[in-house]
Each structure stands twice: as structure tokens, then as C-alpha cells.
């Protein structure tokens, strides 16, 4: 696999580079969030091992922006932040795995092997939920086999709901994923996106859970 290690601790980054290279992976390194964002935009990687406390741009912001345009790359967060809130936030933003520092190298390599097997088998390339299908590689949504044109924000929202079809998301959780913490969307932006998705695909696509938010609806 081609792997990008995004880590500002030189000792950790050097150790990971050496260990992964010995296993036959092509490894690049970045110690800055902005530089990592550029590399991830310019090149194709199978996996990013991503620290959160980065100079230039915070790791969760890098993850959020990468997921808006690239659903194929796997992301393993490697961080000293061991609180539940950080772990949930990272996974909700699209990380495939979360490993806490200090860590055992053997465990990290085992998790990399799991991700490698997923890439080899093509696992999870397509989410199929009743009449709805999302191709995560080509970023195409279909309903009854017919492709649906979706802008980035609507695709991101639909994928978020489809990956956890029984979960109810609050408007603020959805807004965090769509716009980030520092970007202010319109107060009714989430409701507008939901309205557009229902109109383009099906009125039953997204269910409103009164007083809480939204979840995926009846797709049969």
C-alpha cells in the first residue's frame, strides 16, 4: 500500500516509516497539517496514519476536509487523546480506526494489515441499503439503479446517514461534519440539504426524529 504518515513527533514518524517500509509499503511523511492536506489532495494514498495535534492544521480538520472529497482512503488516527469524545468525533468524521498513544508497534501493524485486507478485497466499496446504493470509490449515489446528481454537501450528508442507518444525528452533529467547527453555515442549512435529498431521491429517504434530528428512513 501507499501510506502517508502524518506525525510531528520525529521519533514516532521515523519508527513508523522504517517499520512500514520493511513490510513493503511505500511510505511518505508529513509533520504539518496543511502540508498533509496538500499531499492528500495531490497524490493517491491507500492509508493515512494521522496524528491529531498537528501544527498548521488540526488533525480532525484535515480528516473532515479529506472525507469531503475522498471516500476511498483509509484513515487510522494515532493520538494521545484518549477521551471518549475525541474518539467518537474521529470515528464520526470518517476515521476507520483509532489507536491511542503510547501504543505497541505490533498492534498498529496488525491494524494496518486489517486495512490492507479490506483494500485487497474491495470491502465496503459500495453501501447497499434497499433501493439506495452509494459507491464510495466513484462517489456516485443510485436509487433503483438510477444515478442521482448530488453536490458535495448532500453526498456527505447522505453517506454519513447511510454508514450508520439506525443512528439519529442532531443538526449540530451534521453541521460539524458539513462545515466544521470554525465555519458557519446558514442556520437552516441542514434542513435545506435534507429537503433537497428527499426531493431528488425519495420523500421517505430521511426520517425526522422530532426534537432530536435525522436518521435514514425507509429505503425499501
Amino acid at each position: 500500500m501507499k501510506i502517508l504518515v502524518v506525525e510531528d513527533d520525529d521519533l514516532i514518524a521515523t519508527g513508523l516509516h522504517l517499520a512500514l517500509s520493511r513490510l513493503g509499503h511505500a511510505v511518505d511523511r508529513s509533520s504539518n497539517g496543511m502540508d498533509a492536506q496538500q499531499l492528500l489532495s495531490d497524490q493517491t494514498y491507500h492509508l493515512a496514519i494521522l496524528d491529531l495535534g498537528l501544527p498548521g492544521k488540526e488533525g480532525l480538520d484535515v480528516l473532515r476536509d479529506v472525507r469531503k472529497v475522498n471516500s476511498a482512503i483509509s484513515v487510522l488516527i494515532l493520538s494521545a487523546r484518549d477521551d471518549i469524545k475525541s474518539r467518537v468525533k474521529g470515528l464520526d468524521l470518517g476515521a476507520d480506526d483509532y489507536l491511542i498513544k503510547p501504543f505497541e508497534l505490533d498492534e498498529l501493524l496488525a491494524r494496518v494489515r486489517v486495512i490492507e485486507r479490506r483494500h485487497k478485497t474491495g470491502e465496503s466499496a459500495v453501501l447497499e441499503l434497499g433501493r439506495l446504493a452509494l459507491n464510495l470509490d466513484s462517489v456516485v449515489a443510485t436509487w433503483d439503479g438510477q444515478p442521482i446528481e448530488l453536490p458535495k454537501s448532500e453526498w456527505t450528508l447522505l453517506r454519513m446517514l447511510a454508514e450508520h442507518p439506525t443512528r439519529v444525528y442532531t443538526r449540530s452533529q451534521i453541521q460539524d461534519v458539513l462545515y466544521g467547527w470554525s465555519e458557519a453555515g446558514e442556520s437552516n442549512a441542514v434542513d435545506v440539504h435534507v429537503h433537497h435529498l428527499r426531493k431528488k431521491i425519495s420523500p421517505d429517504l430521511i426520517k425526522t426524529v422530532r426534537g432530536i434530528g435525522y436518521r435514514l428512513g425507509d429505503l425499501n
Side-chain angles (χ1 to χ4, degrees):
M1 290 193 299
K2 188 173 182 181
I3 300 174
L4 178 64
V5 174
V6 188
E7 172 60 67
D8 64 340
D9 184 313
D10 187 65
L11 185 62
I12 293 175
T14 299
L16 290 177
H17 192 165
L18 181 60
L20 292 166
S21 297
R22 284 176 172 171
L23 293 175
H25 300 293
V27 184
D28 291 338
R29 288 171 53 178
S30 176
S31 60
N32 180 285
M34 289 297 293
D35 294 342
Q37 183 86 51
Q38 192 64 51
L39 283 168
L40 290 166
S41 297
D42 293 343
Q43 301 190 43
T44 300
Y45 292 95
H46 300 99
L47 169 65
I49 298 177
L50 180 67
D51 188 18
L52 297 185
L54 296 167
K57 187 170 186 175
E58 221 275 342
L60 285 177
D61 291 334
V62 173
L63 173 59
R64 184 197 69 235
D65 290 343
V66 165
R67 277 292 179 244
K68 289 179 180 180
V69 296
N70 187 343
S71 60
I73 185 173
S74 297
V75 177
L76 190 163
I77 291 177
L78 185 62
S79 175
R81 299 179 191 174
D82 61 354
D83 59 289
I84 293 295
K85 183 177 180 180
S86 293
R87 281 182 277 172
V88 169
K89 190 69 177 179
L91 294 170
D92 280 348
L93 284 176
D96 297 86
D97 204 348
Y98 195 115
L99 186 60
I100 296 169
K101 299 176 183 175
F103 63 96
E104 293 291 336
L105 180 60
D106 285 346
E107 182 181 2
L108 182 140
L109 295 179
R111 296 188 185 208
V112 169
R113 288 194 294 272
V114 170
I115 291 170
E116 185 177 20
R117 286 198 296 271
R118 289 177 187 165
H119 279 278
K120 287 180 177 178
T121 61
E123 181 181 327
S124 300
V126 178
L127 284 175
E128 295 187 15
L129 298 158
R131 300 164 69 187
L132 176 70
L134 301 182
N135 189 310
L136 306 183
D137 289 337
S138 60
V139 195
V140 171
T142 60
W143 181 259
D144 286 339
Q146 298 301 311
I148 309 295
E149 288 281 341
L150 297 177
K152 181 172 65 176
S153 55
E154 291 173 19
W155 164 267
T156 301
L157 171 55
L158 185 56
R159 174 180 172 166
M160 177 183 183
L161 297 174
E163 287 183 328
H164 302 279
T166 62
R167 175 173 176 175
V168 179
Y169 287 92
T170 65
R171 284 178 177 81
S172 62
Q173 286 173 327
I174 295 171
Q175 196 153 354
D176 277 351
V177 172
L178 295 182
Y179 304 108
W181 306 290
S182 60
E183 300 176 40
E186 297 293 330
S187 60
N188 67 336
V190 171
D191 300 315
V192 170
H193 292 322
V194 168
H195 171 75
H196 287 165
L197 285 168
R198 286 170 172 163
K199 187 174 181 180
K200 290 178 181 179
I201 301 177
S202 167
D204 298 321
L205 178 70
I206 298 173
K207 179 180 175 59
T208 300
V209 180
R210 194 174 301 278
I212 303 177
Y214 298 104
R215 69 168 177 82
L216 212 60
D218 182 9
L219 305 183
N220 296 315

